[in-house]
Amino acid sequence: MASIAVLFLFFIVIRAQGEGQTFITVECKTGNVGQFGQQSMLDCVVKTTQVVKDATILVVSWEKKDTEAIVLTFEKGKTVAQPRFRFAEPSWNEKNMNVSLLITNTTLEDIGEYKCVVMTDSGDSTNYTNLIVTAKYNKPMIHSNPEKITRDEDVTLTCSSEGGYPKGQLRWFDEHGQEWPESGPLTMEKTSNGLFKLTSRLSLLKSTIFSKYTCKVFNASGVKEDEAALEIPENPAEQEGRKEVDVPTKIVAPVVVIGSLIVGMLLVLVYKRRSQRDHRGMTFESAAEEGDHLNTQHNDNEA
């Protein structure tokens, strides 16, 4: 009897050790980033040990932790999922160890932690993963008050950008690329879909207005997503003054060119006349020398 009791106890120990062994594990990517309105994927894959040659998945369960809602289940060969949720691989079956979850038309409500439970004929495993959702801000829009800028009065510029998530920043720059930190405080409001609308105001004194201002929108990571620029025209009086300055310049330039041409032509004419005069002088001297030579020969003959 004692020997039977020992054998029974040994069998219980061996059974407990066998049940304690882990032949499969679910490995999940810790953090996943999705784009608002786009597809997002939560990566989880079943890994088996060398002991398991051909595992078969019996149950898969995806649960959103904060709401405890089951968004997808697979059991007894049948998959049941809430709208916008499905396996990442369209042809998934119980032999496919990729149990990743795909979310279509991602919303801000999808943010949070998810629990993935997998049961196979070779063991069970559970793991967790998170989803972060971001949205890109739209191109900023700039408005001025007053609408028509004359540089004769103070001006307030207003820049706004919406459709982004999480909270971003608006920053002002002048025509030289210098940032203007003197802008008013940034205001943020949530729209109906949970995304943010950013608004920033920049006050300008009439004596310090540049010709161009740029408003840039940055996401929560400090990366620029888009920008808009406003060019401020000059006053008519300033434009007229510039025209009056340009008129004498436009008149003087052609006069200088024409005068230079006349001087050049005169120099050429003087040079030609001088050359002709020198040539005549040389001809006259040659003729005189020839005459003297003939007279000399004639006198010699008479003698």
Side-chain angles (χ1 to χ4, degrees):
M1 292 294 294
S3 60
I4 294 176
V6 171
L7 288 175
F8 182 73
L9 179 62
F10 177 76
F11 173 78
I12 293 176
V13 172
I14 295 299
R15 175 69 176 177
Q17 290 179 348
E19 291 180 350
Q21 292 181 358
T22 301
F23 295 107
I24 73 158
T25 57
V26 176
E27 297 182 359
C28 296
K29 186 178 178 180
T30 305
N32 306 273
V33 179
Q35 287 287 330
F36 183 88
Q38 304 297 321
Q39 291 185 344
S40 302
M41 187 166 66
L42 306 181
D43 289 310
C44 286
V45 178
V46 178
K47 298 290 186 178
T48 62
T49 63
Q50 294 181 350
V51 177
V52 179
K53 300 298 183 182
D54 188 21
T56 300
I57 295 177
L58 305 176
V59 176
V60 177
S61 173
W62 276 97
E63 175 187 348
K64 195 168 187 296
K65 287 289 293 177
D66 57 350
T67 61
E68 297 183 349
I70 304 297
V71 297
L72 182 146
T73 57
F74 170 81
E75 187 176 6
K76 296 179 180 179
K78 185 178 180 180
T79 301
V80 178
Q82 292 187 11
R84 301 189 303 107
F85 295 86
R86 63 178 176 84
F87 282 112
E89 297 191 6
S91 58
W92 187 90
N93 58 61
E94 62 272 15
K95 290 295 185 179
N96 192 334
M97 297 295 108
N98 185 357
V99 294
S100 299
L101 180 69
L102 183 70
I103 306 174
T104 60
N105 193 23
T106 305
T107 68
L108 299 182
E109 296 178 353
D110 300 326
I111 297 174
E113 185 180 37
Y114 290 79
K115 176 183 178 182
C116 180
V117 178
V118 177
M119 299 180 182
T120 73
D121 57 357
S122 302
D124 311 333
S125 182
T126 300
N127 208 338
Y128 300 86
T129 185
N130 286 278
L131 176 65
I132 299 172
V133 177
T134 63
K136 183 179 179 180
Y137 283 90
N138 297 328
K139 184 179 182 67
M141 298 188 66
I142 303 177
H143 302 281
S144 65
N145 184 23
E147 184 176 352
K148 184 177 181 180
I149 302 175
T150 63
R151 296 175 181 261
D152 294 327
E153 56 185 336
D154 297 343
V155 178
T156 299
L157 302 182
T158 301
C159 177
S160 60
S161 177
E162 60 183 24
Y165 191 90
K167 297 177 182 179
Q169 289 183 333
L170 291 175
R171 293 157 62 182
W172 291 93
F173 298 84
D174 60 28
E175 61 186 69
H176 305 294
Q178 184 67 34
E179 183 175 2
W180 280 57
E182 297 85 0
S183 57
L186 179 69
T187 60
M188 291 175 285
E189 58 179 305
K190 279 191 175 183
T191 58
S192 58
N193 54 9
L195 303 179
F196 285 105
K197 178 181 179 181
L198 308 178
T199 303
S200 176
R201 290 177 174 82
L202 180 65
S203 298
L204 303 174
L205 299 177
K206 59 183 179 181
S207 58
T208 59
I209 297 179
F210 287 92
S211 60
K212 182 179 178 181
Y213 290 91
T214 302
C215 177
K216 300 181 181 182
V217 59
F218 296 81
N219 60 24
S221 300
V223 178
K224 188 192 80 170
E225 294 194 335
D226 215 328
E227 65 180 55
L230 175 67
E231 294 188 1
I232 301 176
E234 296 179 352
N235 284 343
E238 294 178 352
Q239 294 178 353
E240 190 64 28
R242 179 170 286 117
K243 289 180 180 178
E244 292 177 356
V245 172
D246 291 343
V247 167
T249 303
K250 293 179 179 179
I251 295 175
V252 169
V255 170
V256 171
V257 173
I258 295 173
S260 300
L261 291 174
I262 294 174
V263 171
M265 293 174 65
L266 289 174
L267 291 174
V268 171
L269 183 60
V270 170
Y271 175 76
K272 285 184 175 180
R273 288 183 176 180
R274 180 176 295 175
S275 297
Q276 291 176 355
R277 190 187 314 138
D278 293 343
H279 179 70
R280 289 197 197 99
M282 292 178 62
T283 304
F284 179 78
E285 291 177 357
S286 298
E289 290 178 357
E290 184 65 24
D292 292 341
H293 179 67
L294 292 175
N295 288 333
T296 302
Q297 288 181 346
H298 178 71
N299 294 329
D300 290 341
N301 291 330
E302 290 180 352

